[in-house]
């Protein structure tokens, strides 16, 4: 972010000296990875060049633009109107107009190589005030951009007090993650892995464990995965975190097997399931990481199951799907987690060599009291059976839920066993 930081620093200094305001707009292109996957990197480069030209066209001479990532741009609007005493953000109207023009100029298709590519942008905007550093301004604009992504993409979000609180928490979680993943930093935060058992409901035999990442801050307070996983993805720490979980999981399985040898030749080996996040799938060489971890612990591909949510599959490009297909051919299991809550399931069941589906706990929790949920659970179980896929029902917490399920499926939940480190 060197160029963007320099531009932002200049604007902040002028704000302090003259009372003028500045705005920072953080633009992230929506779905750009698909252009690289479908048209190749030459098409992706051509699209980026045209996007940069169009973004430059909406700026004034005194404004600046910098590309700060593969598909990310920062625009700095300099010398906006000074504070006017009205209580309204100075320069806010002009900055909002520029943000809307960005959406307008990007709407037209980009032609390259006989094809047309359509891109949109999620834009985060912050109005810079006296005393704010360039890094703070960039961080705040980045936070607003991520909210735009979360709210559906192709939109503009202005950084506000609610996002400020969110940004402070994100900074605290990022610091905790970095301390936990790198003990040499001298922090006291800790990273660990918990394991939840999965049972065959017919025989009540243990068939698998699911590895679940755990994070505690310097006071020992637990930070839930739904809070720290998104931060790990946004900061790029997900690669290190994911490799640590995979390595710990396979090492734990190897030790467990040595301590719990099979009682008969017919006993199927217990396997290990590891979650694969969206950003991890897009930015990690999955095949190489899995091969290396299996080799270190002398485990076979059939000992490992990779769990992906429907959203991960929906966002994956052809290279990710190719790697998953190769891993499945080798024997690694591929399970769709939280099945039934997204939009991609049936399409990918037909095109990806999936080995199992996991029914989301939201259906399990209401299946004994709601006829619709019960019907959905039954339909997914039947679909898995007809396609010869494994089926795991998540979130089993009561005897009524357990007794409502057929013996042909596997089950996971607090009733059967809580996660343990």
């Amino acid at each position: 972010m060197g160029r963007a930081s320099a531009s932002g620093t200049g604007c902040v200094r002028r704000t302090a000296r003259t009372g003028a305001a500045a705005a920072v707009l953080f633009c992230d292109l929506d779905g750009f990875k698909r252009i690289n996957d479908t048209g190749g990197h030459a098409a992706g480069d051509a699209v980026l060049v045209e996007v940069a030209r169009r973004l430059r066209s909406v700026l004034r001479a005194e404004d600046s633009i910098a590309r700060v990532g593969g598909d990310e741009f920062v625009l700095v609007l300099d010398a906006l109107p000074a504070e006017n005493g009205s209580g309204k953000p100075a320069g806010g109207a002009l900055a909002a107009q520029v943000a809307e023009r960005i959406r307008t100029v990007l709407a037209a298709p980009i032609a390259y190589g006989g094809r047309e590519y359509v891109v949109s942008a999620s834009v985060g905007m912050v109005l810079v005030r006296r005393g704010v550093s360039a890094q703070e301004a960039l961080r705040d604009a980045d936070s607003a951009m991520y909210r735009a992504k979360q709210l559906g993409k192709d939109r503009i979000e202005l950084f506000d007090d609610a996002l400020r609180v969110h940004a402070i928490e994100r900074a605290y979680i990022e610091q905790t993650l970095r301390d936990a993943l790198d003990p040499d930093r001298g922090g006291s935060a800790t990273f660990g892995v918990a394991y939840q058992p999965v049972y065959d409901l017919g025989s009540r035999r243990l068939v698998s464990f699911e590895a679940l990442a755990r994070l505690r801050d310097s006071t020992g307070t637990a930070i839930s995965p739904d809070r720290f996983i998104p931060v790990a993805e946004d900061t790029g720490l997900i690669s290190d975190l994911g490799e640590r979980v995979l390595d710990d999981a396979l090492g734990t399985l190897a030790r467990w097997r040595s301590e719990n040898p099979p009682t008969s030749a017919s006993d199927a080996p217990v396997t290990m399931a590891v979650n694969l996040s969206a950003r991890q799938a897009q930015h990690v060489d999955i095949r190489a990481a899995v091969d290396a971890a299996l080799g270190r612990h002398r485990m076979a591909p059939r000992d490992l199951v990779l769990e992906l949510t429907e959203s991960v599959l929906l966002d994956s490009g052809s290279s990710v799907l190719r790697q998953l297909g190769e891993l499945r051919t080798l024997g690694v299991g591929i399970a769709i987690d939280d099945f039934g809550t997204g939009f991609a399931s049936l399409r990918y069941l037909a095109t990806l060599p999936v080995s199992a589906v996991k029914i989301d706990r939201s259906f399990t929790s209401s299946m004994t009291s709601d006829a619709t949920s019960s019907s959905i659970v039954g339909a997914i179980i039947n679909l898995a059976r007809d396609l010869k896929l494994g089926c795991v029902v998540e979130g089993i917490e009561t005897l009524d839920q357990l007794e409502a399920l057929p013996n042909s499926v596997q089950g996971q939940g607090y009733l059967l066993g809580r996660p343990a480190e």
Side-chain angles (χ1 to χ4, degrees), residues 25 27 29 47-59 65 73 75 96-111 117-121 123 154 156:
L25 280 67
C27 305
L29 302 185
V47 168
L48 287 175
V49 170
E50 176 61 15
V51 166
R53 187 194 67 78
R54 293 184 186 186
L55 292 178
R56 177 75 257 184
S57 73
V58 307
L59 299 179
I65 179 173
F73 295 84
L75 286 68
Q97 290 171 11
V98 171
E100 283 294 346
R101 287 205 298 272
I102 289 172
R103 297 182 66 231
T104 300
V105 298
L106 292 182
I110 297 173
Y117 300 95
V118 178
V119 295
S120 61
V123 182
D154 189 22
I156 303 157

Side-chain angles (χ1 to χ4, degrees), residues 185-222:
R185 290 170 61 92
S188 53
T190 58
F191 169 80
V193 183
Y195 298 92
Q196 186 171 28
V198 179
Y199 290 92
D200 178 87
L201 296 190
S203 65
R204 295 298 195 268
R205 184 179 65 85
L206 175 68
V207 294
S208 184
F209 292 102
E210 180 180 359
L212 304 165
R214 294 290 184 260
L215 180 68
R216 295 184 180 276
D217 67 12
S218 57
T219 69
T221 302

